[in-house]
Amino acid sequence: MMCSRKIVVFVKNKLITIDTVIPILIEMKDKYNITSEIVVFDNLAHEAINNNIVLKDAIKYVGNELFITKGEKNKILRRLNVFISLSRLFVNFICGAKILHFGLLSSWPFAFFAHLFSKRVYQLQPVSYDFRYSVIMRRNGKAFVYPIGKNIVIFGKESGKHYYRSVLNKRKVFYFGETRTRPHWVKYIRDRGDYYFNLFHSNINFSNGSIVYILGAIDLYQHKKDLFYKTIHSLSLINHKIPILLKPHAYTEIETVQSAISKYKNMYLTFLHPSVLSTRSVVFICNNFSNTLADAHSFGVTTIEYSNESASGKSDLSLFPDNESIEPQFVDYYIDNDEVKFSQVLNKILLENHSPSTFNGKGGSNDELLVSLSTR
């Protein structure tokens, strides 16, 4: 049997897990010539990958996506697809493939593989930054997941310690650090940035940078819908000649967005990766904290969280302080449902001379994990 070195990654149904792991896989491809296979189960995740051209291209660069159910709705055919795919993966595991996952291998039938090949199984922390909300939620007994496999990979040291607090002395622990601030990932993004902007936004003048508005679900709650339209209204009043890029989430109601911006010539939908957008952005805006603010902030981009705290119910959780973001280290301006203040802050930022981001990544990277993944 001919066996080549390979990494198999089981991701969850949200892009955040792919976003977290893809910089690792790119380094493994470039430094060790090891290919990867991304195993996807959920149709929403599969479509989200296809809608995110940067991640889609990155997956092709490192290997391929295995859509294990192929989107089949017939129960018998769906199970047949899963059986065939898992059988092929089993051969890869016998050949020594390293197995990365975010908790999926805790359930049957995947737990079978996790126990059989436990020395080559690595459970990854779901997010790539040291988010405070992870620590707070787990201090209050929320969402602890017992890790499967002999190896744990932590990206945010404090949050990771709480996430796996009861088993750290029983596993091999890799403190890898933030994946999307590693110099190799940043270089990968910068080398391809012009290509993506020319491919999708060649008609936009970025000489003054851009405003990036990160979207979530809009129509689900009235207060979210109201705040979305308030934000659009404030953006429409800007006098500066600067394009406004609205980046939807997988759950964002696209028709609502298109209808809201149709009469504004300087507002555009974008599906580019936040790291790519950060290279030509002046400010990132969101209506609830988004992990993308950490990406933008790392690139030196100003960040605004313009939310409606009382309506969103954050204060009711009594876990987070009032009148500030749940992640203040990544948010430059936190504005609670104050349209006048939002406009004032935004105009103040835009009056400053724009200098494109020169961020090239954070030094002091730990490559112990990469070495471990490269060995048979």
Side-chain angles (χ1 to χ4, degrees), residues 210-214 242 274 277-286 289-290 292-306 328-335 342 344-359:
S210 65
I211 295 170
V212 176
Y213 179 18
I214 302 296
I242 185 169
L277 295 173
S278 295
T279 64
R280 297 194 183 184
S281 176
V282 175
V283 59
F284 264 49
I285 300 164
C286 68
F289 180 78
S290 164
T292 60
L293 293 190
D295 292 318
H297 193 270
S298 297
F299 273 77
V301 177
T302 303
T303 56
I304 300 175
E305 183 179 343
Y306 175 36
Q329 72 272 33
F330 298 115
V331 176
D332 294 306
Y333 296 94
Y334 178 78
I335 300 168
F342 172 64
Q344 289 173 342
V345 168
L346 189 57
N347 280 293
K348 172 181 174 291
I349 294 168
L350 296 178
L351 284 172
E352 299 171 359
N353 292 327
H354 168 59
S355 298
S357 168
T358 57
F359 179 67

Side-chain angles (χ1 to χ4, degrees), residues 153-215:
V153 181
I154 289 176
F155 305 118
K157 198 164 187 178
E158 291 304 313
S159 56
K161 283 180 179 178
H162 285 275
Y163 196 80
Y164 301 115
R165 59 187 177 272
S166 67
V167 294
L168 288 178
N169 61 343
K170 302 175 184 177
R171 300 286 191 275
K172 170 61 180 175
V173 180
F174 297 89
Y175 292 102
F176 190 72
E178 300 166 355
T179 61
R180 293 197 299 279
T181 59
R182 287 175 68 88
H184 199 92
W185 167 253
V186 176
K187 184 178 186 303
Y188 175 90
I189 288 297
R190 288 198 176 280
D191 287 348
R192 292 158 176 79
D194 288 346
Y195 165 76
Y196 287 118
F197 279 112
N198 291 333
L199 183 63
F200 293 99
H201 300 305
S202 60
N203 61 324
I204 300 177
N205 182 354
F206 287 98
S207 59
N208 293 322
S210 65
I211 295 170
V212 176
Y213 179 18
I214 302 296
L215 305 175

Side-chain angles (χ1 to χ4, degrees), residues 111-330:
F112 169 76
F113 298 126
H115 290 293
L116 189 61
F117 305 103
S118 61
K119 290 184 179 179
R120 288 186 271 114
V121 173
Y122 299 71
Q123 180 153 341
L124 280 59
Q125 187 181 354
V127 294
S128 64
Y129 290 95
D130 213 356
F131 288 130
R132 183 175 70 162
Y133 71 79
S134 300
V135 176
I136 294 174
M137 295 298 282
R138 286 172 180 82
R139 277 178 179 167
N140 287 270
K142 306 292 184 180
F144 173 73
V145 177
Y146 194 88
I148 299 296
K150 296 293 186 182
N151 307 280
I152 294 173
V153 181
I154 289 176
F155 305 118
K157 198 164 187 178
E158 291 304 313
S159 56
K161 283 180 179 178
H162 285 275
Y163 196 80
Y164 301 115
R165 59 187 177 272
S166 67
V167 294
L168 288 178
N169 61 343
K170 302 175 184 177
R171 300 286 191 275
K172 170 61 180 175
V173 180
F174 297 89
Y175 292 102
F176 190 72
E178 300 166 355
T179 61
R180 293 197 299 279
T181 59
R182 287 175 68 88
H184 199 92
W185 167 253
V186 176
K187 184 178 186 303
Y188 175 90
I189 288 297
R190 288 198 176 280
D191 287 348
R192 292 158 176 79
D194 288 346
Y195 165 76
Y196 287 118
F197 279 112
N198 291 333
L199 183 63
F200 293 99
H201 300 305
S202 60
N203 61 324
I204 300 177
N205 182 354
F206 287 98
S207 59
N208 293 322
S210 65
I211 295 170
V212 176
Y213 179 18
I214 302 296
L215 305 175
I218 298 170
D219 296 334
L220 189 60
Y221 297 102
Q222 188 61 44
H223 72 272
K224 290 181 178 290
K225 194 171 184 176
D226 291 343
L227 194 56
F228 166 73
Y229 282 109
K230 283 183 180 180
T231 306
I232 293 294
H233 178 255
S234 294
L235 292 173
S236 72
L237 299 177
I238 292 173
N239 292 322
H240 305 269
K241 292 183 178 180
I242 185 169
I244 300 166
L245 304 180
L246 291 84
K247 178 169 173 54
H249 188 275
Y251 299 105
T252 301
E253 301 86 351
I254 299 296
E255 291 183 359
T256 298
V257 179
Q258 289 174 327
S259 175
I261 68 174
S262 60
K263 59 184 178 181
Y264 303 116
K265 294 183 178 180
N266 66 332
M267 296 189 189
Y268 311 86
L269 272 172
T270 184
F271 294 94
L272 293 182
H273 191 278
S275 292
V276 174
L277 295 173
S278 295
T279 64
R280 297 194 183 184
S281 176
V282 175
V283 59
F284 264 49
I285 300 164
C286 68
N287 294 139
N288 287 102
F289 180 78
S290 164
N291 293 345
T292 60
L293 293 190
D295 292 318
H297 193 270
S298 297
F299 273 77
V301 177
T302 303
T303 56
I304 300 175
E305 183 179 343
Y306 175 36
S307 65
N308 188 343
E309 184 175 297
S310 58
S312 67
K314 177 169 79 72
S315 299
D316 295 338
L317 294 175
S318 70
L319 302 177
F320 307 100
D322 293 333
N323 300 315
E324 75 172 30
S325 171
I326 61 174
E327 299 296 342
Q329 72 272 33
F330 298 115

Side-chain angles (χ1 to χ4, degrees), residues 31-180:
K31 293 181 178 180
Y32 300 97
N33 197 29
I34 295 178
T35 60
S36 301
E37 190 159 34
I38 315 295
V39 183
V40 176
F41 289 82
D42 187 85
N43 192 57
L44 183 65
H46 173 69
E47 290 181 354
I49 290 171
N50 282 302
N51 287 333
N52 189 316
I53 185 63
V54 178
L55 285 183
K56 183 180 179 180
D57 285 352
I59 290 172
K60 288 181 180 178
Y61 180 78
V62 302
N64 66 284
E65 174 200 355
L66 174 61
F67 187 19
I68 204 165
T69 64
K70 302 187 187 303
E72 181 58 60
K73 298 188 183 301
N74 181 282
K75 193 173 183 179
I76 295 175
L77 293 177
R78 181 182 177 89
R79 288 182 175 178
L80 179 61
N81 287 335
V82 171
F83 176 78
I84 293 172
S85 296
L86 290 181
S87 298
R88 186 170 67 79
L89 288 174
F90 184 69
V91 174
N92 289 327
F93 300 154
I94 292 175
C95 282
K98 298 297 175 76
I99 307 168
L100 278 56
H101 75 110
F102 294 87
L104 184 67
L105 268 62
S106 300
S107 58
W108 179 261
F110 312 107
F112 169 76
F113 298 126
H115 290 293
L116 189 61
F117 305 103
S118 61
K119 290 184 179 179
R120 288 186 271 114
V121 173
Y122 299 71
Q123 180 153 341
L124 280 59
Q125 187 181 354
V127 294
S128 64
Y129 290 95
D130 213 356
F131 288 130
R132 183 175 70 162
Y133 71 79
S134 300
V135 176
I136 294 174
M137 295 298 282
R138 286 172 180 82
R139 277 178 179 167
N140 287 270
K142 306 292 184 180
F144 173 73
V145 177
Y146 194 88
I148 299 296
K150 296 293 186 182
N151 307 280
I152 294 173
V153 181
I154 289 176
F155 305 118
K157 198 164 187 178
E158 291 304 313
S159 56
K161 283 180 179 178
H162 285 275
Y163 196 80
Y164 301 115
R165 59 187 177 272
S166 67
V167 294
L168 288 178
N169 61 343
K170 302 175 184 177
R171 300 286 191 275
K172 170 61 180 175
V173 180
F174 297 89
Y175 292 102
F176 190 72
E178 300 166 355
T179 61
R180 293 197 299 279

